Amino acid sequence: MIEKIKQLESIALQLEPNAAKRAQMRLAVVDYAESFLDNIEAGKAYQVTQDKGIQLLDFPVTEQGRSIQQLIDLIEYNVDRPGLNPASGGHIAYIPGGGIYPAALGDYLADITNRYAGVFYANPGAVRIENILIRWMCELFGFPKKAGGNLTSGGSIANLIAIVTARDYKKLKARDFEKAVIYSTKQVHHCTKKSIKIAGLYDLVQREVPMDKHFRMDAQALATCIKKDKEDGLIPFLVMASAGTTDTGAIDPLEAISTICKANELWMHVDAAYGGFFILTDEIKEQMKGIEKADSIVIDPHKGLFLPYGSGAVLVRDAKLLYDAHHMQANYMQDSFDDVEELSPADLSPELTKPFRGLRLWLPLQLFGIAPFRAALQEKIWLCRYFYEAIQQIDGFEVGPYPELSVMIYRYVPKVGEANAYNLDLVNRVKEDGRVFLSSTTIDGTIYIRLAVLSFRTHLSTINRCLDVLKELTQGAQA
Ligand SMILES: *Cc1c(COP(=O)(O)O)cnc(C)c1O
């Protein structure tokens, strides 16, 4: 038996490479990461390829391993070449991605040390870091001391957690489902609908509140809807406001919505996944007024704080409600809400075992301080405003509403032919060109191109490049 164990051990030990082997792997990875970063500015934001990484299919997982260099080459050619490069500043579509360098170092450390940030007693330091970040965000949004929250994998899960908390707090039962009403605009992010579905609330009445011409919720119309629904015997339940819609960056009138929610005892949720961190800027602070009165807020550090994908957050005005909705007592894990020094993330979300997400956020914030984050967010706002002016100087382009944040819509109106088809084709041609990456949207039947500035790598030179591309690709269409 000893012989058997020793034999297995000798193979299993491959999982623990020695210092020399670690250095060899690490250097290969760091070399590649450095060359990736060196080339990011000159490289394409989108690369159309025939193969779409199909070579990966020839490398199934097998009994024997392969060399690190062979694997890096595979990744470079098949993963990092075809399609979109979300780490590129030229990614000015959808909501751009981030990837600030020290976040990767935070992940590296968190993965090496594998601290467990789910339960306070297991790793008090890791949980403290996550709770410090949550408290920082709660203060940023003007939430009271009793507020709490959770670091999630992204905005979608954060929205789900908020909706489940609202559902349980309001004690909605199956018999109420066909009477309870959720209010939002047509511009609310589709993941909130997904959350409603996953939370088992799809049978609720989902009311679409009219918008003003800037695509913001019409607060007066909301009040009228609620009044009518009450008269009809329905149960107004939840308002899902947006602080920065994905399509146009519209911020709903949060102050007015909060007054209506309070008067009618509705849960006020604000999806600020895209726009939330703009609260750090003087430019936007004013429009965010009222967000401090929300019952729950969703924000995405992997958007507004430029982290790599995998970082969202939910903040709840009263941490107890978050706890009540997500806490499950297990006999091997005993604690209670009142007598703990720090709340445990595992009691505040569906997750038990989870990655130590805090470090990838804490490390960059501590290293850089807040100032460069704030400046980068301001820069994005001004770049969008700059584009709004500049695109109108190119023949044939018209714009949507003045940008509230760093997203705006515009389109090309050709002299001949159908505008919608032209703009879809233009977006495709921009993609084939690859110097920048843009996306489109449809609003009331009209196709618009979006500009979404949120990558920390998007600067004035990027926006000028985008203007050049659009000018080149539309040349002649006005003739
Ligand atoms: C991105 C986004 C979401 C979804 O968040 P994920 O992090 O992609 O899951 C929700 N709402 C808004 C407004 C967003 O921009």
Side-chain angles (χ1 to χ4, degrees):
M1 186 153 69
I2 301 281
E3 212 34 52
K4 173 86 185 161
I5 292 172
K6 287 205 161 154
Q7 189 201 347
L8 291 171
E9 181 182 300
S10 72
I11 304 171
L13 272 173
Q14 289 175 36
L15 297 177
E16 182 75 287
N18 64 22
K21 285 202 177 120
R22 289 202 300 273
Q24 186 223 344
M25 287 191 230
R26 186 173 61 246
L27 288 176
V29 166
V30 170
D31 272 357
Y32 174 58
E34 285 302 310
S35 89
F36 180 89
L37 290 177
D38 283 346
N39 292 316
I40 205 160
E41 183 65 24
K44 288 190 166 191
Y46 194 97
Q47 176 121 9
V48 179
T49 69
Q50 283 302 310
D51 58 277
K52 299 178 188 152
I54 198 158
Q55 200 186 43
L56 290 166
L57 299 182
D58 298 334
F59 291 83
V61 176
T62 57
E63 276 299 308
Q64 303 304 322
R66 308 177 200 276
S67 81
I68 187 75
Q69 197 53 55
Q70 185 185 20
L71 297 173
I72 287 173
D73 292 346
L74 266 182
I75 294 168
E76 177 172 19
Y77 190 78
N78 296 286
V79 182
D80 294 338
R81 184 187 49 101
L84 171 63
N85 180 0
S88 160
H91 177 18
I92 36 185
Y94 306 114
I95 298 294
I100 46 174
Y101 188 69
L105 302 181
D107 278 350
Y108 179 73
L109 285 179
D111 286 358
I112 293 285
T113 61
N114 204 22
R115 296 297 92 171
Y116 173 57
V119 175
F120 182 60
Y121 90 83
N123 200 285
V127 171
R128 275 193 209 281
I129 280 195
E130 300 214 342
N131 287 350
I132 285 166
L133 292 167
I134 289 290
R135 280 196 290 270
W136 172 65
M137 293 186 237
C138 284
E139 277 168 30
L140 203 59
F141 287 91
F143 263 15
K145 274 225 147 43
K146 65 174 181 179
N150 189 252
L151 298 181
T152 65
S153 57
S156 299
I157 298 297
N159 272 308
L160 176 64
I161 291 175
I163 285 163
V164 164
T165 305
R167 178 197 68 194
D168 285 10
Y169 169 65
K170 292 288 182 181
K171 299 196 166 46
L172 281 191
K173 295 281 179 287
R175 64 172 180 274
D176 304 322
F177 279 14
E178 285 178 0
K179 281 191 186 165
V181 193
I182 298 177
Y183 303 85
S184 64
T185 70
K186 222 189 198 131
Q187 287 290 313
V188 78
H189 195 278
H190 74 276
C191 84
T192 58
K193 303 263 173 195
K194 206 161 130 183
S195 300
I196 289 168
K197 190 171 164 192
I198 299 170
L201 302 178
Y202 215 60
D203 290 336
L204 265 62
V205 184
Q206 296 182 44
R207 197 72 76 217
E208 224 168 59
V209 182
M211 297 176 286
D212 67 12
K213 62 180 192 299
H214 293 277
F215 306 110
R216 296 181 287 228
M217 186 181 283
D218 178 340
Q220 192 50 51
L222 171 67
T224 310
C225 285
I226 292 173
K227 186 163 177 283
K228 172 146 196 324
D229 285 339
K230 280 185 163 174
E231 286 164 5
D232 292 347
L234 300 179
I235 314 165
F237 155 56
L238 167 73
V239 175
M240 291 215 272
S242 305
T245 56
T246 310
D247 254 357
T248 69
I251 302 173
D252 289 335
L254 302 171
E255 187 77 53
I257 292 171
S258 75
T259 307
I260 295 166
C261 285
K262 193 160 181 107
N264 294 281
E265 295 180 339
L266 269 75
W267 183 280
M268 177 178 171
H269 175 65
V270 182
D271 180 5
Y274 155 55
F277 283 104
F278 284 100
I279 202 167
L280 283 165
T281 70
D282 285 342
E283 284 84 349
I284 302 302
K285 223 177 235 159
E286 200 55 32
Q287 283 109 291
M288 287 283 181
K289 281 228 167 99
I291 201 166
E292 73 283 356
K293 292 175 186 150
D295 293 293
S296 52
I297 302 173
V298 161
I299 41 181
D300 253 353
H302 66 203
K303 290 176 178 165
L305 289 180
F306 318 115
L307 291 201
Y309 292 143
S311 279
V314 57
L315 309 177
V316 177
R317 169 173 215 82
D318 183 350
K320 179 80 167 68
L321 306 184
L322 181 61
Y323 180 87
D324 289 345
H326 292 91
H327 172 242
M328 209 30 96
Q329 188 81 341
N331 50 9
Y332 54 88
M333 292 193 340
Q334 300 174 1
D335 52 32
S336 74
F337 184 82
D338 293 318
D339 59 17
V340 290
E341 198 179 335
E342 290 280 346
L343 287 177
S344 291
D347 291 330
L348 306 170
S349 93
E351 292 180 306
L352 177 57
T353 307
K354 63 179 214 94
F356 176 20
R357 293 193 182 98
L359 208 49
R360 53 160 40 206
L361 176 53
W362 186 85
L363 192 65
L365 282 172
Q366 293 282 3
L367 261 176
F368 294 145
I370 298 167
F373 289 93
R374 178 181 290 114
L377 287 165
Q378 288 175 292
E379 180 197 21
K380 305 313 155 208
I381 294 169
W382 287 101
L383 286 174
C384 193
R385 292 175 180 177
Y386 167 78
F387 181 89
Y388 179 86
E389 304 296 337
I391 189 73
Q392 294 180 71
Q393 306 303 313
I394 304 177
D395 255 8
F397 278 99
E398 65 173 36
V399 294
Y402 190 76
E404 273 194 81
L405 291 169
S406 67
V407 174
M408 61 163 284
I409 52 170
Y410 55 98
R411 66 181 193 135
Y412 190 81
V413 185
K415 274 269 170 359
V416 285
E418 211 257 322
N420 277 357
Y422 185 92
N423 283 281
L424 279 181
D425 180 58
L426 178 56
V427 168
N428 254 326
R429 286 187 292 135
V430 171
K431 193 163 96 180
E432 280 161 20
D433 176 273
R435 278 175 287 171
V436 293
F437 179 63
L438 297 168
S439 58
S440 65
T441 188
T442 307
I443 295 181
D444 294 335
T446 302
I447 295 195
Y448 287 94
I449 308 179
R450 288 171 66 258
L451 176 84
V453 195
L454 199 63
S455 165
F456 68 104
R457 291 198 174 103
T458 302
H459 304 293
L460 187 57
S461 58
T462 330
I463 298 300
N464 283 334
R465 193 191 319 149
C466 177
L467 289 162
D468 288 346
V469 169
L470 288 171
K471 192 168 179 176
E472 272 173 42
L473 295 182
T474 55
Q475 223 149 40
Q478 288 294 301

